[in-house]
Amino acid sequence: MTRIVLSSDHAAIELRQAIAAHITAKGYEAVDIGPTENVSTHYPVHGKAAAERVASGDCDLGIILCGTGQGIMMAANKVKGIRCGVCSDQFSAAMIRQHNNANILSIGARVVGEGLALAIVDAFLDAEFEGGRHATRVDMIEE
Ligand code: RB5
């Protein structure tokens, strides 16, 4: 079963939990590492924690959120082996897997509503890396 780690800061707890329930219903294993208390926290901590779960191989993919999705994405991308993009639309969510082999999706909870967020998650999870010339470019990122 595909294991998907989820994390967020305080700005995205409800949306993160809705996404966890959604992907569980779709047959994925949701590894929700919180936080659960609605108190102000620091998105770099949660981005790093999720990224390390993916980079270590403990989880196959990740979904992370903060207010904009931007700060937590920046933190996650500091972990070697992580390719994370922020998406506010389904096309981008599919393309970051098809062309960039993204292993973490970031979403801004203050940017998109729940319905669109779930559709973005579906687009990300349903897409597959195309390899070929895109693999050459992804390898260049890793180097
Ligand atoms: C928290 O107020 C906010 O700055 C954070 O959730 C995120 O949007 C940062 O990128």
Side-chain angles (χ1 to χ4, degrees):
M1 184 185 289
T2 304
R3 279 167 63 84
I4 303 175
V5 62
L6 296 106
S7 77
S8 74
D9 71 359
H10 55 280
I13 292 173
E14 282 186 19
L15 182 54
R16 192 196 74 235
Q17 291 172 337
I19 292 171
H22 178 73
I23 65 174
T24 299
K26 284 180 62 113
Y28 294 96
E29 182 179 356
V31 181
D32 189 345
I33 60 171
T36 54
E37 286 183 38
N38 192 15
V39 293
S40 185
T41 183
H42 305 300
Y43 58 80
V45 173
H46 305 292
K48 181 173 187 249
E52 287 177 341
R53 292 290 189 112
V54 175
S56 70
D58 177 52
C59 293
D60 303 294
L61 296 168
I63 300 173
I64 57 178
L65 307 95
C66 62
T68 60
Q70 301 290 350
I72 201 164
M73 173 274 289
M74 293 176 195
N77 275 321
K78 292 289 185 185
V79 176
K80 186 160 177 55
I82 294 306
R83 293 174 300 279
C84 176
V86 182
C87 294
S88 301
D89 65 276
Q90 293 135 286
F91 177 76
S92 298
M95 291 302 287
I96 64 169
R97 284 200 80 193
Q98 289 172 17
H99 285 194
N100 312 117
N101 201 15
N103 45 20
I104 300 185
L105 166 68
S106 182
I107 297 174
R110 294 173 179 162
V111 180
V112 299
E114 182 177 317
L116 179 54
L118 298 182
I120 289 167
V121 166
D122 287 347
F124 179 76
L125 296 178
D126 290 347
E128 289 183 9
F129 183 48
E130 292 177 2
R133 69 185 188 280
H134 304 298
T136 303
R137 295 162 185 165
V138 171
D139 288 346
M140 292 171 73
I141 296 173
E142 293 309 306
E143 287 167 18

